Amino acid sequence: MSPWSVVVPAKRLAVAKTRLRPLTEHVPDLHDALVLALLADTVAAAVACPLVADVVVVTDEPAAADLVGGLGARSVADRPDRGLNAALEHGAGEATTEAVAALSSDLPALRPAELAAALGAAGAGRCFVADAQGSGTTLLTAVGVPLRPRFGRDSAQAHRQDGAVPLTGDWPGLVRDVDTPDDLRAAVALGVGGRTRALLGASPTLAVHLGAAR
């Protein structure tokens, strides 16, 4: 199979994952740590995927750039600074392979084998994987054509209407992105990566909020 480049967007910490702030608002720096933990486990899974040759993180957040560099990924500045889709197009332009995939940055339960299965199922043209709710998108692939990301509200429908082919399979960690406290509980129930797991273990505040799911 052809090697893939995976592009991961990472917002500035000040504006990332605002719906998770009820979990972290009473502990200084906990929100930033949680956002970075989600990113770290996502990137680590992508780096470990046998079909992935290159992981490109598009970010203007220095802490994110430093983090992913230590995980074997490389970072590029968000030169367009015009939102998520422009950032992904910029990252795709920096890819080193013909096959390119955009991957959400908040998939702490992602397994390398799941990502490999999804990439292996992706054919020529554009394909996508919808999130657990069916309305969003966690993975968009492009082989031999421009990526043309359509992330945002109801992105699954937007990608489908723009010609991308939906992919389905047994990859629960790939579809479980984390936008809300309930999403995080569901990811923890699946089993999260080492960085998120360590943060949960070291944070009584998160433990209380997540309850038995931890």
Side-chain angles (χ1 to χ4, degrees):
M1 292 185 181
S2 300
W4 287 80
S5 294
V6 172
V7 180
V8 181
K11 290 182 178 180
R12 297 180 182 90
L13 292 173
V15 296
K17 294 297 165 193
T18 56
R19 284 185 283 174
L20 292 178
R21 287 199 178 276
L23 296 177
T24 61
E25 59 187 349
H26 299 301
V27 180
D29 302 323
L30 182 57
H31 185 77
D32 290 359
L34 178 57
V35 172
L36 290 173
L38 301 178
L39 173 65
D41 287 335
T42 303
V43 169
V47 168
C49 176
L51 298 186
V52 175
D54 187 25
V55 178
V56 183
V57 178
V58 183
T59 188
D60 281 337
E61 174 56 58
D66 289 345
L67 172 70
V68 302
L71 297 172
R74 60 189 178 95
S75 63
V76 296
D78 183 6
R79 290 176 184 165
D81 196 20
R82 295 195 305 269
L84 175 58
N85 290 315
L88 289 170
E89 289 179 341
H90 173 56
E94 296 289 324
T96 59
T97 62
E98 180 185 17
V100 179
L103 182 68
S104 296
S105 63
D106 54 354
L107 301 167
L110 178 63
R111 307 293 196 270
E114 293 178 337
L115 181 56
L119 295 176
R126 295 162 66 244
C127 302
F128 73 96
V129 174
D131 63 12
Q133 289 76 29
S135 58
T137 303
T138 61
L139 181 74
L140 174 68
T141 67
V143 180
V145 297
L147 186 63
R148 286 208 315 272
R150 299 291 185 267
F151 286 86
R153 184 179 294 276
D154 296 324
S155 64
Q157 180 179 358
H159 285 128
R160 185 183 291 106
Q161 290 178 339
D162 194 43
V165 177
L167 302 174
T168 58
D170 184 19
W171 36 62
L174 177 59
V175 303
R176 177 49 66 190
D177 56 346
V178 173
D179 290 317
T180 69
D182 283 344
D183 292 338
L184 183 56
R185 291 185 187 94
V188 171
L190 289 174
V192 292
R195 182 74 174 246
T196 304
R197 186 169 60 249
L199 181 63
L200 297 177
S203 173
T205 297
L206 286 178
V208 168
H209 279 291
L210 295 175
R214 176 175 173 272

